[in-house]
Short mmCIF file of all heavy atoms in Angstrom, two decimals:
data_model
loop_
_atom_site.label_atom_id
_atom_site.label_comp_id
_atom_site.label_asym_id
_atom_site.label_seq_id
_atom_site.Cartn_x
_atom_site.Cartn_y
_atom_site.Cartn_z
N THR A 58 4.02 -19.26 2.82
CA THR A 58 3.58 -19.00 4.19
C THR A 58 4.65 -19.42 5.19
O THR A 58 4.92 -18.72 6.17
CB THR A 58 2.26 -19.74 4.48
OG1 THR A 58 1.27 -19.31 3.54
CG2 THR A 58 1.78 -19.45 5.89
N THR A 59 5.27 -20.57 4.93
CA THR A 59 6.34 -21.05 5.82
C THR A 59 7.52 -20.09 5.83
O THR A 59 8.07 -19.76 6.89
CB THR A 59 6.81 -22.44 5.37
OG1 THR A 59 5.71 -23.35 5.42
CG2 THR A 59 7.93 -22.96 6.27
N ILE A 60 7.91 -19.61 4.66
CA ILE A 60 9.05 -18.71 4.57
C ILE A 60 8.72 -17.36 5.22
O ILE A 60 9.56 -16.75 5.88
CB ILE A 60 9.47 -18.53 3.10
CG1 ILE A 60 10.02 -19.86 2.57
CG2 ILE A 60 10.52 -17.44 2.96
CD1 ILE A 60 10.38 -19.83 1.10
N ARG A 61 7.49 -16.89 5.05
CA ARG A 61 7.09 -15.63 5.71
C ARG A 61 7.16 -15.78 7.22
O ARG A 61 7.57 -14.85 7.93
CB ARG A 61 5.68 -15.23 5.27
CG ARG A 61 5.56 -14.80 3.82
CD ARG A 61 4.21 -14.19 3.55
NE ARG A 61 3.98 -13.97 2.13
CZ ARG A 61 3.22 -14.75 1.36
NH1 ARG A 61 2.58 -15.78 1.90
NH2 ARG A 61 3.06 -14.48 0.08
N ALA A 62 6.75 -16.95 7.72
CA ALA A 62 6.80 -17.19 9.17
C ALA A 62 8.25 -17.21 9.65
O ALA A 62 8.57 -16.66 10.72
CB ALA A 62 6.11 -18.51 9.50
N LEU A 63 9.14 -17.83 8.88
CA LEU A 63 10.56 -17.84 9.24
C LEU A 63 11.14 -16.43 9.24
O LEU A 63 11.91 -16.06 10.12
CB LEU A 63 11.34 -18.72 8.26
CG LEU A 63 11.19 -20.24 8.45
CD1 LEU A 63 11.83 -20.98 7.28
CD2 LEU A 63 11.83 -20.68 9.76
N LEU A 64 10.75 -15.64 8.24
CA LEU A 64 11.24 -14.26 8.17
C LEU A 64 10.76 -13.45 9.37
O LEU A 64 11.51 -12.65 9.93
CB LEU A 64 10.76 -13.61 6.87
CG LEU A 64 11.16 -12.15 6.65
CD1 LEU A 64 12.67 -12.01 6.61
CD2 LEU A 64 10.55 -11.62 5.35
N TYR A 65 9.52 -13.69 9.79
CA TYR A 65 8.99 -12.99 10.97
C TYR A 65 9.79 -13.35 12.22
O TYR A 65 10.15 -12.48 13.02
CB TYR A 65 7.52 -13.36 11.17
CG TYR A 65 6.93 -12.86 12.47
CD1 TYR A 65 6.58 -11.53 12.64
CD2 TYR A 65 6.76 -13.73 13.55
CE1 TYR A 65 6.06 -11.07 13.84
CE2 TYR A 65 6.24 -13.29 14.75
CZ TYR A 65 5.89 -11.96 14.89
OH TYR A 65 5.38 -11.51 16.09
N ILE A 66 10.11 -14.64 12.37
CA ILE A 66 10.89 -15.08 13.54
C ILE A 66 12.29 -14.49 13.50
O ILE A 66 12.83 -14.05 14.53
CB ILE A 66 10.95 -16.62 13.58
CG1 ILE A 66 9.54 -17.19 13.81
CG2 ILE A 66 11.90 -17.11 14.67
CD1 ILE A 66 9.45 -18.69 13.69
N MET A 67 12.88 -14.45 12.31
CA MET A 67 14.22 -13.87 12.18
C MET A 67 14.23 -12.39 12.57
O MET A 67 15.12 -11.93 13.30
CB MET A 67 14.71 -14.03 10.74
CG MET A 67 15.07 -15.45 10.35
SD MET A 67 15.50 -15.58 8.60
CE MET A 67 16.94 -14.50 8.51
N ASP A 68 13.23 -11.65 12.10
CA ASP A 68 13.16 -10.22 12.44
C ASP A 68 12.89 -10.02 13.93
O ASP A 68 13.48 -9.13 14.56
CB ASP A 68 12.07 -9.54 11.61
CG ASP A 68 12.46 -9.40 10.15
OD1 ASP A 68 13.66 -9.56 9.84
OD2 ASP A 68 11.58 -9.15 9.31
N LYS A 69 12.00 -10.84 14.48
CA LYS A 69 11.64 -10.68 15.89
C LYS A 69 12.80 -11.03 16.81
O LYS A 69 13.00 -10.38 17.84
CB LYS A 69 10.43 -11.57 16.21
CG LYS A 69 9.90 -11.40 17.63
CD LYS A 69 8.67 -12.23 17.87
CE LYS A 69 8.13 -12.03 19.28
NZ LYS A 69 6.92 -12.86 19.54
N CYS A 70 13.56 -12.04 16.44
CA CYS A 70 14.67 -12.52 17.29
C CYS A 70 16.03 -11.99 16.84
O CYS A 70 17.06 -12.45 17.35
CB CYS A 70 14.68 -14.04 17.32
SG CYS A 70 13.16 -14.79 17.94
N CYS A 71 16.02 -11.06 15.88
CA CYS A 71 17.26 -10.42 15.41
C CYS A 71 18.26 -11.45 14.88
O CYS A 71 19.45 -11.43 15.22
CB CYS A 71 17.90 -9.58 16.51
SG CYS A 71 16.85 -8.24 17.10
N VAL A 72 17.78 -12.38 14.07
CA VAL A 72 18.64 -13.38 13.44
C VAL A 72 19.04 -12.85 12.06
O VAL A 72 18.18 -12.56 11.23
CB VAL A 72 17.92 -14.73 13.30
CG1 VAL A 72 18.81 -15.75 12.60
CG2 VAL A 72 17.49 -15.25 14.66
N GLY A 73 20.32 -12.73 11.83
CA GLY A 73 20.81 -12.19 10.57
C GLY A 73 20.82 -13.22 9.45
O GLY A 73 20.67 -14.43 9.67
N ASP A 74 21.03 -12.73 8.23
CA ASP A 74 21.06 -13.61 7.07
C ASP A 74 22.22 -14.60 7.14
O ASP A 74 22.08 -15.76 6.74
CB ASP A 74 21.15 -12.78 5.78
CG ASP A 74 19.87 -12.01 5.50
OD1 ASP A 74 18.81 -12.44 6.00
OD2 ASP A 74 19.93 -10.99 4.79
#
Side-chain angles (χ1 to χ4, degrees):
T58 301
T59 300
I60 293 176
R61 291 190 189 103
L63 284 171
L64 179 61
Y65 171 77
I66 295 172
M67 289 175 61
D68 288 345
K69 184 177 181 180
C70 301
C71 299
V72 178
D74 291 337

